[in-house]
Amino acid sequence: MGVKYRWIGLIFLSAGVGFALIASIAFGVVQVSVSSIINALCSFDGAYDQLIIRSVRLPRALIAAAVGGSLAVAGCLMQALSRNGLAGPEIFGVNNGAALAVVIVSIVLQSTSLSVFSWAAMAGAAIAGATVFLLGSIGGHSLTPVKLILAGATINLLFASLTQGILILNEQSLDTMRFWLAGSLTGRDLQLFVQVVPYMLAGLAAAFFLSRHMNVIGLGEELAQGLGQRVFFIKVLCIVVIVLLAGGAVAIAGPIAFIGLAVPHIARFLIGSDYRWMIPYSALLGALLLLLADIGARFVLPAQEIPAGIVTAFFGAPFLIYLAQRRGRTK
């Protein structure tokens, strides 16, 4: 695909995200018109539908777009770093590290505040990323893709087991946390979004900076070093960016699965393996898919919403099976 068509694709995806944002604000139990959306944003007068838009729908739509884009870019970097098409933020232990930290904080502080949960999740994601980095650096040939995947899978399983064990022993925490652990955008406000979005924006900016370097590393580490790339430094920076993006997303919405796994493959199918284009395509596709999943979650059951993470898992699980089978046929 030529550069011209890639730019056209970005324009169409940006328009799609814009329409999805409007649809996310407009559709729900209470339907609102486009004129009400414009009035709520430009000339707020305290009307009921405008109040719903400003306090509930708009923050939720912005959070869905930011979380979807962040998870998709984190998955893109994870697949590039590990050179494994089945990798995603989940395998890096970030999701379960954040979940474990939130569960511990909810028990120790007896808190159900989403603001407290967000900071705990960021800390847990950072601890998980640092632990994977340390384990992957032990021994010779540090930070190889295989060692990163093994370290990430080990930490992921350990943190998941600890989380489940704590929840089983503490039924009150299970009742408090089960909706958050399913991955949900319900009840998030603009203040929570403002707290976390700087980390996501910093991660996205760094991901764009890394895109050219990831193309060179994809040719092989020895060749990349021969071309003057500081491979170890780039890998460390990539891990930090993954923690910022995935940790920020989990902090605000809980562990939403399969966005980070599936979206990079869709972007690769559309524009190839050039990470200078894959990263912006992944960001827009991730935002679009999570917005659509959140809209669909409002209408699956009558008069009741389900967490968006359940919708993404419902469609993502068959996609994972397809990827595994396709990789099996190519070997």
PDB file of all heavy atoms in Angstrom, residues 238-279:
ATOM      1  N   CYS A 238      11.007   0.581  25.633  1.00  0.00           N
ATOM      2  CA  CYS A 238       9.782  -0.054  25.148  1.00  0.00           C
ATOM      3  C   CYS A 238       8.981  -0.646  26.311  1.00  0.00           C
ATOM      4  O   CYS A 238       7.752  -0.525  26.349  1.00  0.00           O
ATOM      5  CB  CYS A 238      10.133  -1.131  24.130  1.00  0.00           C
ATOM      6  SG  CYS A 238       8.729  -1.769  23.202  1.00  0.00           S
ATOM      7  N   ILE A 239       9.674  -1.273  27.265  1.00  0.00           N
ATOM      8  CA  ILE A 239       8.993  -1.826  28.433  1.00  0.00           C
ATOM      9  C   ILE A 239       8.333  -0.723  29.250  1.00  0.00           C
ATOM     10  O   ILE A 239       7.188  -0.853  29.705  1.00  0.00           O
ATOM     11  CB  ILE A 239       9.987  -2.629  29.295  1.00  0.00           C
ATOM     12  CG1 ILE A 239      10.437  -3.887  28.557  1.00  0.00           C
ATOM     13  CG2 ILE A 239       9.364  -3.009  30.635  1.00  0.00           C
ATOM     14  CD1 ILE A 239      11.559  -4.638  29.242  1.00  0.00           C
ATOM     15  N   VAL A 240       9.034   0.390  29.426  1.00  0.00           N
ATOM     16  CA  VAL A 240       8.471   1.518  30.164  1.00  0.00           C
ATOM     17  C   VAL A 240       7.217   2.043  29.474  1.00  0.00           C
ATOM     18  O   VAL A 240       6.194   2.337  30.120  1.00  0.00           O
ATOM     19  CB  VAL A 240       9.513   2.639  30.310  1.00  0.00           C
ATOM     20  CG1 VAL A 240       8.890   3.892  30.921  1.00  0.00           C
ATOM     21  CG2 VAL A 240      10.682   2.173  31.170  1.00  0.00           C
ATOM     22  N   VAL A 241       7.259   2.143  28.150  1.00  0.00           N
ATOM     23  CA  VAL A 241       6.111   2.637  27.394  1.00  0.00           C
ATOM     24  C   VAL A 241       4.926   1.679  27.524  1.00  0.00           C
ATOM     25  O   VAL A 241       3.773   2.100  27.679  1.00  0.00           O
ATOM     26  CB  VAL A 241       6.486   2.841  25.910  1.00  0.00           C
ATOM     27  CG1 VAL A 241       5.254   3.176  25.079  1.00  0.00           C
ATOM     28  CG2 VAL A 241       7.515   3.947  25.782  1.00  0.00           C
ATOM     29  N   ILE A 242       5.193   0.379  27.467  1.00  0.00           N
ATOM     30  CA  ILE A 242       4.123  -0.615  27.614  1.00  0.00           C
ATOM     31  C   ILE A 242       3.461  -0.476  28.980  1.00  0.00           C
ATOM     32  O   ILE A 242       2.231  -0.534  29.104  1.00  0.00           O
ATOM     33  CB  ILE A 242       4.677  -2.034  27.409  1.00  0.00           C
ATOM     34  CG1 ILE A 242       5.065  -2.248  25.946  1.00  0.00           C
ATOM     35  CG2 ILE A 242       3.643  -3.092  27.829  1.00  0.00           C
ATOM     36  CD1 ILE A 242       5.834  -3.528  25.696  1.00  0.00           C
ATOM     37  N   VAL A 243       4.271  -0.283  30.020  1.00  0.00           N
ATOM     38  CA  VAL A 243       3.720  -0.114  31.370  1.00  0.00           C
ATOM     39  C   VAL A 243       2.871   1.149  31.447  1.00  0.00           C
ATOM     40  O   VAL A 243       1.773   1.148  32.038  1.00  0.00           O
ATOM     41  CB  VAL A 243       4.853  -0.086  32.408  1.00  0.00           C
ATOM     42  CG1 VAL A 243       4.318   0.347  33.767  1.00  0.00           C
ATOM     43  CG2 VAL A 243       5.514  -1.453  32.517  1.00  0.00           C
ATOM     44  N   LEU A 244       3.338   2.249  30.854  1.00  0.00           N
ATOM     45  CA  LEU A 244       2.572   3.493  30.874  1.00  0.00           C
ATOM     46  C   LEU A 244       1.225   3.324  30.169  1.00  0.00           C
ATOM     47  O   LEU A 244       0.181   3.738  30.677  1.00  0.00           O
ATOM     48  CB  LEU A 244       3.361   4.618  30.201  1.00  0.00           C
ATOM     49  CG  LEU A 244       4.533   5.220  30.986  1.00  0.00           C
ATOM     50  CD1 LEU A 244       5.291   6.218  30.125  1.00  0.00           C
ATOM     51  CD2 LEU A 244       4.038   5.890  32.260  1.00  0.00           C
ATOM     52  N   LEU A 245       1.244   2.716  28.983  1.00  0.00           N
ATOM     53  CA  LEU A 245       0.026   2.580  28.197  1.00  0.00           C
ATOM     54  C   LEU A 245      -0.936   1.565  28.807  1.00  0.00           C
ATOM     55  O   LEU A 245      -2.100   1.870  29.076  1.00  0.00           O
ATOM     56  CB  LEU A 245       0.380   2.179  26.762  1.00  0.00           C
ATOM     57  CG  LEU A 245       1.100   3.231  25.925  1.00  0.00           C
ATOM     58  CD1 LEU A 245       1.580   2.631  24.606  1.00  0.00           C
ATOM     59  CD2 LEU A 245       0.191   4.421  25.668  1.00  0.00           C
ATOM     60  N   ALA A 246      -0.444   0.340  29.012  1.00  0.00           N
ATOM     61  CA  ALA A 246      -1.319  -0.703  29.547  1.00  0.00           C
ATOM     62  C   ALA A 246      -1.680  -0.421  31.003  1.00  0.00           C
ATOM     63  O   ALA A 246      -2.830  -0.639  31.411  1.00  0.00           O
ATOM     64  CB  ALA A 246      -0.643  -2.071  29.414  1.00  0.00           C
ATOM     65  N   GLY A 247      -0.718   0.068  31.781  1.00  0.00           N
ATOM     66  CA  GLY A 247      -1.008   0.380  33.180  1.00  0.00           C
ATOM     67  C   GLY A 247      -2.023   1.499  33.303  1.00  0.00           C
ATOM     68  O   GLY A 247      -2.944   1.425  34.126  1.00  0.00           O
ATOM     69  N   GLY A 248      -1.890   2.542  32.491  1.00  0.00           N
ATOM     70  CA  GLY A 248      -2.869   3.618  32.516  1.00  0.00           C
ATOM     71  C   GLY A 248      -4.252   3.149  32.102  1.00  0.00           C
ATOM     72  O   GLY A 248      -5.262   3.543  32.701  1.00  0.00           O
ATOM     73  N   ALA A 249      -4.308   2.278  31.083  1.00  0.00           N
ATOM     74  CA  ALA A 249      -5.598   1.757  30.618  1.00  0.00           C
ATOM     75  C   ALA A 249      -6.268   0.903  31.685  1.00  0.00           C
ATOM     76  O   ALA A 249      -7.469   1.042  31.961  1.00  0.00           O
ATOM     77  CB  ALA A 249      -5.402   0.955  29.336  1.00  0.00           C
ATOM     78  N   VAL A 250      -5.496   0.005  32.297  1.00  0.00           N
ATOM     79  CA  VAL A 250      -6.054  -0.862  33.335  1.00  0.00           C
ATOM     80  C   VAL A 250      -6.439  -0.040  34.564  1.00  0.00           C
ATOM     81  O   VAL A 250      -7.441  -0.320  35.229  1.00  0.00           O
ATOM     82  CB  VAL A 250      -5.051  -1.971  33.708  1.00  0.00           C
ATOM     83  CG1 VAL A 250      -5.576  -2.806  34.871  1.00  0.00           C
ATOM     84  CG2 VAL A 250      -4.786  -2.874  32.509  1.00  0.00           C
ATOM     85  N   ALA A 251      -5.677   0.994  34.853  1.00  0.00           N
ATOM     86  CA  ALA A 251      -5.964   1.822  36.023  1.00  0.00           C
ATOM     87  C   ALA A 251      -7.333   2.465  35.932  1.00  0.00           C
ATOM     88  O   ALA A 251      -8.032   2.611  36.934  1.00  0.00           O
ATOM     89  CB  ALA A 251      -4.890   2.892  36.177  1.00  0.00           C
ATOM     90  N   ILE A 252      -7.742   2.835  34.741  1.00  0.00           N
ATOM     91  CA  ILE A 252      -8.983   3.583  34.606  1.00  0.00           C
ATOM     92  C   ILE A 252     -10.171   2.710  34.221  1.00  0.00           C
ATOM     93  O   ILE A 252     -11.315   3.030  34.535  1.00  0.00           O
ATOM     94  CB  ILE A 252      -8.805   4.716  33.562  1.00  0.00           C
ATOM     95  CG1 ILE A 252      -9.908   5.761  33.705  1.00  0.00           C
ATOM     96  CG2 ILE A 252      -8.752   4.177  32.158  1.00  0.00           C
ATOM     97  CD1 ILE A 252      -9.663   7.001  32.889  1.00  0.00           C
ATOM     98  N   ALA A 253      -9.916   1.564  33.571  1.00  0.00           N
ATOM     99  CA  ALA A 253     -11.034   0.756  33.066  1.00  0.00           C
ATOM    100  C   ALA A 253     -10.998  -0.693  33.503  1.00  0.00           C
ATOM    101  O   ALA A 253     -11.922  -1.440  33.188  1.00  0.00           O
ATOM    102  CB  ALA A 253     -11.068   0.815  31.534  1.00  0.00           C
ATOM    103  N   GLY A 254      -9.972  -1.104  34.227  1.00  0.00           N
ATOM    104  CA  GLY A 254      -9.864  -2.511  34.559  1.00  0.00           C
ATOM    105  C   GLY A 254      -9.211  -3.285  33.417  1.00  0.00           C
ATOM    106  O   GLY A 254      -8.962  -2.741  32.338  1.00  0.00           O
ATOM    107  N   PRO A 255      -8.940  -4.561  33.625  1.00  0.00           N
ATOM    108  CA  PRO A 255      -8.243  -5.361  32.615  1.00  0.00           C
ATOM    109  C   PRO A 255      -9.159  -5.766  31.455  1.00  0.00           C
ATOM    110  O   PRO A 255      -9.889  -6.753  31.535  1.00  0.00           O
ATOM    111  CB  PRO A 255      -7.765  -6.588  33.407  1.00  0.00           C
ATOM    112  CG  PRO A 255      -8.713  -6.695  34.556  1.00  0.00           C
ATOM    113  CD  PRO A 255      -9.159  -5.299  34.883  1.00  0.00           C
ATOM    114  N   ILE A 256      -9.143  -4.991  30.376  1.00  0.00           N
ATOM    115  CA  ILE A 256      -9.916  -5.297  29.171  1.00  0.00           C
ATOM    116  C   ILE A 256      -9.044  -6.119  28.227  1.00  0.00           C
ATOM    117  O   ILE A 256      -7.976  -5.672  27.812  1.00  0.00           O
ATOM    118  CB  ILE A 256     -10.407  -4.012  28.484  1.00  0.00           C
ATOM    119  CG1 ILE A 256     -11.397  -3.287  29.404  1.00  0.00           C
ATOM    120  CG2 ILE A 256     -11.044  -4.301  27.137  1.00  0.00           C
ATOM    121  CD1 ILE A 256     -11.913  -1.978  28.854  1.00  0.00           C
ATOM    122  N   ALA A 257      -9.500  -7.303  27.900  1.00  0.00           N
ATOM    123  CA  ALA A 257      -8.683  -8.261  27.162  1.00  0.00           C
ATOM    124  C   ALA A 257      -8.873  -8.138  25.662  1.00  0.00           C
ATOM    125  O   ALA A 257      -9.858  -7.588  25.179  1.00  0.00           O
ATOM    126  CB  ALA A 257      -9.022  -9.685  27.615  1.00  0.00           C
ATOM    127  N   PHE A 258      -7.886  -8.666  24.934  1.00  0.00           N
ATOM    128  CA  PHE A 258      -7.906  -8.938  23.495  1.00  0.00           C
ATOM    129  C   PHE A 258      -7.755  -7.716  22.597  1.00  0.00           C
ATOM    130  O   PHE A 258      -7.453  -7.868  21.421  1.00  0.00           O
ATOM    131  CB  PHE A 258      -9.171  -9.713  23.081  1.00  0.00           C
ATOM    132  CG  PHE A 258      -9.221 -11.101  23.629  1.00  0.00           C
ATOM    133  CD1 PHE A 258     -10.087 -11.434  24.659  1.00  0.00           C
ATOM    134  CD2 PHE A 258      -8.387 -12.081  23.141  1.00  0.00           C
ATOM    135  CE1 PHE A 258     -10.123 -12.716  25.180  1.00  0.00           C
ATOM    136  CE2 PHE A 258      -8.412 -13.362  23.657  1.00  0.00           C
ATOM    137  CZ  PHE A 258      -9.282 -13.687  24.671  1.00  0.00           C
ATOM    138  N   ILE A 259      -7.964  -6.498  23.094  1.00  0.00           N
ATOM    139  CA  ILE A 259      -7.712  -5.330  22.257  1.00  0.00           C
ATOM    140  C   ILE A 259      -6.236  -5.283  21.864  1.00  0.00           C
ATOM    141  O   ILE A 259      -5.882  -5.083  20.692  1.00  0.00           O
ATOM    142  CB  ILE A 259      -8.119  -4.035  22.980  1.00  0.00           C
ATOM    143  CG1 ILE A 259      -9.638  -3.973  23.192  1.00  0.00           C
ATOM    144  CG2 ILE A 259      -7.647  -2.808  22.195  1.00  0.00           C
ATOM    145  CD1 ILE A 259     -10.425  -3.739  21.940  1.00  0.00           C
ATOM    146  N   GLY A 260      -5.363  -5.464  22.848  1.00  0.00           N
ATOM    147  CA  GLY A 260      -3.931  -5.420  22.581  1.00  0.00           C
ATOM    148  C   GLY A 260      -3.444  -6.574  21.732  1.00  0.00           C
ATOM    149  O   GLY A 260      -2.407  -6.457  21.069  1.00  0.00           O
ATOM    150  N   LEU A 261      -4.158  -7.676  21.721  1.00  0.00           N
ATOM    151  CA  LEU A 261      -3.764  -8.832  20.905  1.00  0.00           C
ATOM    152  C   LEU A 261      -4.256  -8.702  19.473  1.00  0.00           C
ATOM    153  O   LEU A 261      -3.508  -8.891  18.513  1.00  0.00           O
ATOM    154  CB  LEU A 261      -4.316 -10.113  21.529  1.00  0.00           C
ATOM    155  CG  LEU A 261      -4.210 -11.380  20.665  1.00  0.00           C
ATOM    156  CD1 LEU A 261      -2.750 -11.771  20.487  1.00  0.00           C
ATOM    157  CD2 LEU A 261      -4.998 -12.520  21.288  1.00  0.00           C
ATOM    158  N   ALA A 262      -5.526  -8.360  19.305  1.00  0.00           N
ATOM    159  CA  ALA A 262      -6.155  -8.431  17.980  1.00  0.00           C
ATOM    160  C   ALA A 262      -5.848  -7.233  17.105  1.00  0.00           C
ATOM    161  O   ALA A 262      -5.606  -7.388  15.893  1.00  0.00           O
ATOM    162  CB  ALA A 262      -7.671  -8.578  18.150  1.00  0.00           C
ATOM    163  N   VAL A 263      -5.849  -6.034  17.668  1.00  0.00           N
ATOM    164  CA  VAL A 263      -5.747  -4.827  16.842  1.00  0.00           C
ATOM    165  C   VAL A 263      -4.446  -4.750  16.048  1.00  0.00           C
ATOM    166  O   VAL A 263      -4.472  -4.387  14.862  1.00  0.00           O
ATOM    167  CB  VAL A 263      -5.943  -3.571  17.725  1.00  0.00           C
ATOM    168  CG1 VAL A 263      -5.582  -2.307  16.946  1.00  0.00           C
ATOM    169  CG2 VAL A 263      -7.380  -3.498  18.202  1.00  0.00           C
ATOM    170  N   PRO A 264      -3.265  -5.072  16.626  1.00  0.00           N
ATOM    171  CA  PRO A 264      -2.047  -5.016  15.800  1.00  0.00           C
ATOM    172  C   PRO A 264      -2.109  -5.924  14.573  1.00  0.00           C
ATOM    173  O   PRO A 264      -1.553  -5.574  13.521  1.00  0.00           O
ATOM    174  CB  PRO A 264      -0.950  -5.471  16.772  1.00  0.00           C
ATOM    175  CG  PRO A 264      -1.476  -5.111  18.118  1.00  0.00           C
ATOM    176  CD  PRO A 264      -2.947  -5.350  18.042  1.00  0.00           C
ATOM    177  N   HIS A 265      -2.789  -7.056  14.673  1.00  0.00           N
ATOM    178  CA  HIS A 265      -2.922  -7.938  13.511  1.00  0.00           C
ATOM    179  C   HIS A 265      -3.804  -7.303  12.441  1.00  0.00           C
ATOM    180  O   HIS A 265      -3.534  -7.435  11.239  1.00  0.00           O
ATOM    181  CB  HIS A 265      -3.499  -9.286  13.948  1.00  0.00           C
ATOM    182  CG  HIS A 265      -2.537 -10.125  14.713  1.00  0.00           C
ATOM    183  ND1 HIS A 265      -1.574 -10.906  14.114  1.00  0.00           N
ATOM    184  CD2 HIS A 265      -2.364 -10.285  16.050  1.00  0.00           C
ATOM    185  CE1 HIS A 265      -0.859 -11.529  15.033  1.00  0.00           C
ATOM    186  NE2 HIS A 265      -1.323 -11.173  16.218  1.00  0.00           N
ATOM    187  N   ILE A 266      -4.863  -6.626  12.864  1.00  0.00           N
ATOM    188  CA  ILE A 266      -5.720  -5.935  11.895  1.00  0.00           C
ATOM    189  C   ILE A 266      -4.933  -4.826  11.209  1.00  0.00           C
ATOM    190  O   ILE A 266      -4.995  -4.656   9.977  1.00  0.00           O
ATOM    191  CB  ILE A 266      -6.965  -5.372  12.591  1.00  0.00           C
ATOM    192  CG1 ILE A 266      -7.778  -6.503  13.236  1.00  0.00           C
ATOM    193  CG2 ILE A 266      -7.833  -4.596  11.609  1.00  0.00           C
ATOM    194  CD1 ILE A 266      -8.929  -6.020  14.090  1.00  0.00           C
ATOM    195  N   ALA A 267      -4.157  -4.057  11.992  1.00  0.00           N
ATOM    196  CA  ALA A 267      -3.344  -2.991  11.407  1.00  0.00           C
ATOM    197  C   ALA A 267      -2.297  -3.564  10.459  1.00  0.00           C
ATOM    198  O   ALA A 267      -2.057  -3.010   9.369  1.00  0.00           O
ATOM    199  CB  ALA A 267      -2.672  -2.194  12.522  1.00  0.00           C
ATOM    200  N   ARG A 268      -1.679  -4.664  10.833  1.00  0.00           N
ATOM    201  CA  ARG A 268      -0.666  -5.287   9.971  1.00  0.00           C
ATOM    202  C   ARG A 268      -1.283  -5.782   8.672  1.00  0.00           C
ATOM    203  O   ARG A 268      -0.670  -5.694   7.601  1.00  0.00           O
ATOM    204  CB  ARG A 268       0.003  -6.429  10.733  1.00  0.00           C
ATOM    205  CG  ARG A 268       1.251  -6.987  10.065  1.00  0.00           C
ATOM    206  CD  ARG A 268       1.911  -8.053  10.920  1.00  0.00           C
ATOM    207  NE  ARG A 268       2.465  -7.504  12.144  1.00  0.00           N
ATOM    208  CZ  ARG A 268       1.981  -7.747  13.347  1.00  0.00           C
ATOM    209  NH1 ARG A 268       0.909  -8.515  13.498  1.00  0.00           N
ATOM    210  NH2 ARG A 268       2.551  -7.226  14.414  1.00  0.00           N
ATOM    211  N   PHE A 269      -2.497  -6.299   8.732  1.00  0.00           N
ATOM    212  CA  PHE A 269      -3.194  -6.751   7.531  1.00  0.00           C
ATOM    213  C   PHE A 269      -3.494  -5.576   6.594  1.00  0.00           C
ATOM    214  O   PHE A 269      -3.427  -5.713   5.365  1.00  0.00           O
ATOM    215  CB  PHE A 269      -4.497  -7.458   7.930  1.00  0.00           C
ATOM    216  CG  PHE A 269      -5.374  -7.818   6.767  1.00  0.00           C
ATOM    217  CD1 PHE A 269      -5.090  -8.927   5.980  1.00  0.00           C
ATOM    218  CD2 PHE A 269      -6.486  -7.043   6.461  1.00  0.00           C
ATOM    219  CE1 PHE A 269      -5.904  -9.247   4.902  1.00  0.00           C
ATOM    220  CE2 PHE A 269      -7.300  -7.359   5.390  1.00  0.00           C
ATOM    221  CZ  PHE A 269      -7.009  -8.468   4.602  1.00  0.00           C
ATOM    222  N   LEU A 270      -3.793  -4.416   7.173  1.00  0.00           N
ATOM    223  CA  LEU A 270      -4.175  -3.258   6.360  1.00  0.00           C
ATOM    224  C   LEU A 270      -2.980  -2.556   5.723  1.00  0.00           C
ATOM    225  O   LEU A 270      -3.044  -2.159   4.549  1.00  0.00           O
ATOM    226  CB  LEU A 270      -4.957  -2.257   7.217  1.00  0.00           C
ATOM    227  CG  LEU A 270      -6.347  -2.692   7.689  1.00  0.00           C
ATOM    228  CD1 LEU A 270      -6.935  -1.655   8.625  1.00  0.00           C
ATOM    229  CD2 LEU A 270      -7.279  -2.928   6.502  1.00  0.00           C
ATOM    230  N   ILE A 271      -1.890  -2.399   6.481  1.00  0.00           N
ATOM    231  CA  ILE A 271      -0.809  -1.547   5.974  1.00  0.00           C
ATOM    232  C   ILE A 271       0.577  -2.190   6.046  1.00  0.00           C
ATOM    233  O   ILE A 271       1.584  -1.535   5.768  1.00  0.00           O
ATOM    234  CB  ILE A 271      -0.784  -0.185   6.719  1.00  0.00           C
ATOM    235  CG1 ILE A 271      -0.879  -0.341   8.245  1.00  0.00           C
ATOM    236  CG2 ILE A 271      -1.928   0.679   6.261  1.00  0.00           C
ATOM    237  CD1 ILE A 271       0.426  -0.462   8.923  1.00  0.00           C
ATOM    238  N   GLY A 272       0.685  -3.463   6.420  1.00  0.00           N
ATOM    239  CA  GLY A 272       1.982  -4.101   6.479  1.00  0.00           C
ATOM    240  C   GLY A 272       2.647  -3.942   7.832  1.00  0.00           C
ATOM    241  O   GLY A 272       2.025  -3.523   8.808  1.00  0.00           O
ATOM    242  N   SER A 273       3.952  -4.246   7.885  1.00  0.00           N
ATOM    243  CA  SER A 273       4.674  -4.335   9.158  1.00  0.00           C
ATOM    244  C   SER A 273       5.564  -3.133   9.442  1.00  0.00           C
ATOM    245  O   SER A 273       6.509  -3.230  10.224  1.00  0.00           O
ATOM    246  CB  SER A 273       5.523  -5.613   9.189  1.00  0.00           C
ATOM    247  OG  SER A 273       4.702  -6.759   9.092  1.00  0.00           O
ATOM    248  N   ASP A 274       5.293  -2.016   8.822  1.00  0.00           N
ATOM    249  CA  ASP A 274       6.043  -0.795   9.089  1.00  0.00           C
ATOM    250  C   ASP A 274       5.462  -0.141  10.338  1.00  0.00           C
ATOM    251  O   ASP A 274       4.339   0.369  10.319  1.00  0.00           O
ATOM    252  CB  ASP A 274       5.945   0.154   7.893  1.00  0.00           C
ATOM    253  CG  ASP A 274       6.854   1.374   8.042  1.00  0.00           C
ATOM    254  OD1 ASP A 274       7.310   1.659   9.166  1.00  0.00           O
ATOM    255  OD2 ASP A 274       7.106   2.044   7.022  1.00  0.00           O
ATOM    256  N   TYR A 275       6.229  -0.145  11.431  1.00  0.00           N
ATOM    257  CA  TYR A 275       5.704   0.347  12.710  1.00  0.00           C
ATOM    258  C   TYR A 275       5.477   1.849  12.712  1.00  0.00           C
ATOM    259  O   TYR A 275       4.742   2.356  13.564  1.00  0.00           O
ATOM    260  CB  TYR A 275       6.640  -0.052  13.853  1.00  0.00           C
ATOM    261  CG  TYR A 275       6.523  -1.508  14.186  1.00  0.00           C
ATOM    262  CD1 TYR A 275       7.386  -2.449  13.615  1.00  0.00           C
ATOM    263  CD2 TYR A 275       5.536  -1.961  15.043  1.00  0.00           C
ATOM    264  CE1 TYR A 275       7.264  -3.793  13.900  1.00  0.00           C
ATOM    265  CE2 TYR A 275       5.406  -3.301  15.328  1.00  0.00           C
ATOM    266  CZ  TYR A 275       6.266  -4.219  14.752  1.00  0.00           C
ATOM    267  OH  TYR A 275       6.127  -5.549  15.016  1.00  0.00           O
ATOM    268  N   ARG A 276       6.050   2.574  11.776  1.00  0.00           N
ATOM    269  CA  ARG A 276       5.755   4.004  11.677  1.00  0.00           C
ATOM    270  C   ARG A 276       4.291   4.233  11.306  1.00  0.00           C
ATOM    271  O   ARG A 276       3.732   5.292  11.631  1.00  0.00           O
ATOM    272  CB  ARG A 276       6.666   4.657  10.627  1.00  0.00           C
ATOM    273  CG  ARG A 276       8.142   4.678  10.998  1.00  0.00           C
ATOM    274  CD  ARG A 276       8.971   5.202   9.865  1.00  0.00           C
ATOM    275  NE  ARG A 276       8.833   4.364   8.676  1.00  0.00           N
ATOM    276  CZ  ARG A 276       9.408   4.631   7.497  1.00  0.00           C
ATOM    277  NH1 ARG A 276      10.153   5.716   7.362  1.00  0.00           N
ATOM    278  NH2 ARG A 276       9.238   3.813   6.472  1.00  0.00           N
ATOM    279  N   TRP A 277       3.695   3.257  10.651  1.00  0.00           N
ATOM    280  CA  TRP A 277       2.273   3.329  10.305  1.00  0.00           C
ATOM    281  C   TRP A 277       1.432   2.439  11.208  1.00  0.00           C
ATOM    282  O   TRP A 277       0.281   2.755  11.505  1.00  0.00           O
ATOM    283  CB  TRP A 277       2.065   2.922   8.844  1.00  0.00           C
ATOM    284  CG  TRP A 277       2.619   3.905   7.885  1.00  0.00           C
ATOM    285  CD1 TRP A 277       3.853   3.866   7.266  1.00  0.00           C
ATOM    286  CD2 TRP A 277       2.004   5.112   7.436  1.00  0.00           C
ATOM    287  NE1 TRP A 277       4.018   4.957   6.465  1.00  0.00           N
ATOM    288  CE2 TRP A 277       2.903   5.743   6.539  1.00  0.00           C
ATOM    289  CE3 TRP A 277       0.777   5.722   7.700  1.00  0.00           C
ATOM    290  CZ2 TRP A 277       2.607   6.940   5.915  1.00  0.00           C
ATOM    291  CZ3 TRP A 277       0.478   6.920   7.066  1.00  0.00           C
ATOM    292  CH2 TRP A 277       1.382   7.521   6.190  1.00  0.00           C
ATOM    293  N   MET A 278       2.004   1.313  11.641  1.00  0.00           N
ATOM    294  CA  MET A 278       1.235   0.395  12.482  1.00  0.00           C
ATOM    295  C   MET A 278       0.798   1.041  13.786  1.00  0.00           C
ATOM    296  O   MET A 278      -0.317   0.793  14.264  1.00  0.00           O
ATOM    297  CB  MET A 278       2.052  -0.867  12.788  1.00  0.00           C
ATOM    298  CG  MET A 278       1.969  -1.948  11.717  1.00  0.00           C
ATOM    299  SD  MET A 278       2.708  -3.487  12.296  1.00  0.00           S
ATOM    300  CE  MET A 278       1.581  -3.942  13.617  1.00  0.00           C
ATOM    301  N   ILE A 279       1.659   1.855  14.386  1.00  0.00           N
ATOM    302  CA  ILE A 279       1.316   2.450  15.676  1.00  0.00           C
ATOM    303  C   ILE A 279       0.150   3.430  15.567  1.00  0.00           C
ATOM    304  O   ILE A 279      -0.824   3.328  16.335  1.00  0.00           O
ATOM    305  CB  ILE A 279       2.564   3.088  16.317  1.00  0.00           C
ATOM    306  CG1 ILE A 279       3.492   1.966  16.810  1.00  0.00           C
ATOM    307  CG2 ILE A 279       2.191   4.015  17.469  1.00  0.00           C
ATOM    308  CD1 ILE A 279       4.795   2.436  17.382  1.00  0.00           C
TER     309      ILE A 279
END
